[in-house]
Amino acid sequence: AEIKAAYRALVKQHHPDAGGDHRRILELNAAWEVLRHADRRSRHDRLASAPPAPAKVAPPSTAPSTEQALRDWLQQVYAPIDRQLAQVINPFPAQLKALSADPYDDALMDAFCAFLEVSQGRLAKVQASYHARACPAGAGNFSLDLYHCLSLVADALTDLERYTMGYVDSYLRDGGELLRKAKALRSQLQADCRQLRR
C-alpha cells in the first residue's frame, strides 16, 4: 500500500499533463511494473541487498565488454521481442478490414477474437522476456522506449477486447490508434537498434 501510494503521488507530480516529463513517467511506470508484483519485487530486493560480489579478474579475452553485453541483449532479448511485436502490429490492418465488412457477423467476430487471443499470448511472452533480463548499461532510454511500445500494445489489445464485448466504436478507434503509435515507435526502435549496434 505504501509503494502504491508513493507511485500515485509521483505520477501526479510528474505527469506530462501537470507539466512533468514524459521520460520520467516511463521510468515510474517501469519501476511500478517491477514493484507491484511480489516475485519481481522480492527479486529486486534480493539483488539490491546482496553484498557486492568480489571482483573477479578475468583474462581480457574472456571478459565481456559493455558493447558486447549490449549486442548480446539486442540479439537475445530485443530481436525476439521485435519479431513477436511484428506479428501483433502488422496483421492488425488486415484483421480490422476483414471485421469491418460486417462487425455483427459471428464468424468475422470470432476470427477477430482469435487474433486478439493469439496477440495477447504473444504479448505475455514478450513482457516476460523484457522483464527476465535487464538492459545493459548505456541503453536505458532504448529500454524505456521498448517498455512504452509494449505498454501501447497492451493498452490497444485491452481496448480492442472491450470493443468485442460491447461494440463501442470508441474502443475500436482508440485501440487502432494505439497500435498505430506502437508501430511508429517500433520503427524508431529498429532505427535506434541499428545505431546501438554500430
Side-chain angles (χ1 to χ4, degrees):
E2 186 180 334
I3 292 170
K4 190 174 192 176
Y7 166 73
R8 287 183 175 167
L10 287 168
V11 166
K12 287 179 187 175
Q13 178 184 353
H14 295 286
H15 197 278
D17 292 345
D21 179 42
H22 175 73
R23 178 78 43 199
R24 182 73 172 144
I25 284 293
L26 287 176
E27 291 169 349
L28 289 169
N29 287 337
W32 174 243
E33 280 299 313
V34 171
L35 297 176
R36 75 181 180 134
H37 297 287
D39 57 329
R40 292 181 191 162
R41 186 173 57 245
S42 66
R43 182 174 34 181
H44 175 271
D45 291 345
R46 279 193 311 274
L47 293 173
S49 64
K56 294 180 182 179
V57 179
S61 61
T62 62
S65 67
T66 304
E67 292 88 11
Q68 185 61 46
L70 177 57
R71 282 193 294 273
D72 290 346
W73 186 86
L74 290 171
Q75 181 65 35
Q76 297 166 9
V77 178
Y78 168 70
I81 286 174
D82 183 60
R83 284 191 295 275
Q84 292 288 329
L85 282 176
Q87 293 177 344
V88 173
I89 294 170
N90 294 341
F92 174 71
Q95 292 290 329
L96 180 60
K97 184 176 181 181
L99 180 66
S100 66
D102 183 1
Y104 298 100
D105 179 282
D106 288 341
L108 293 176
M109 182 55 80
D110 287 347
F112 190 72
C113 288
F115 162 72
L116 291 179
E117 187 176 337
V118 169
S119 295
Q120 287 166 339
R122 291 183 195 283
L123 182 64
K125 288 178 185 175
V126 160
Q127 289 171 326
S129 296
Y130 177 79
H131 290 294
R133 187 168 162 192
C135 181
N141 287 337
F142 182 86
S143 181
L144 281 176
D145 287 341
L146 180 56
Y147 171 81
H148 186 210
C149 187
L150 298 179
S151 296
L152 288 170
V153 173
D155 291 346
L157 293 177
T158 299
D159 279 352
L160 294 171
E161 185 177 17
R162 287 180 181 151
Y163 170 76
T164 66
M165 291 186 249
Y167 294 94
V168 178
D169 288 340
S170 63
Y171 287 131
L172 184 63
R173 182 184 60 248
D174 292 349
E177 181 59 28
L178 288 168
L179 280 179
R180 281 187 284 280
K181 287 181 180 180
K183 183 176 184 175
L185 185 51
R186 178 176 171 256
S187 295
Q188 182 60 52
L189 283 163
Q190 290 172 328
D192 293 346
C193 179
R194 287 190 291 273
Q195 291 288 63
L196 287 171
R197 284 183 169 150
R198 290 184 184 175

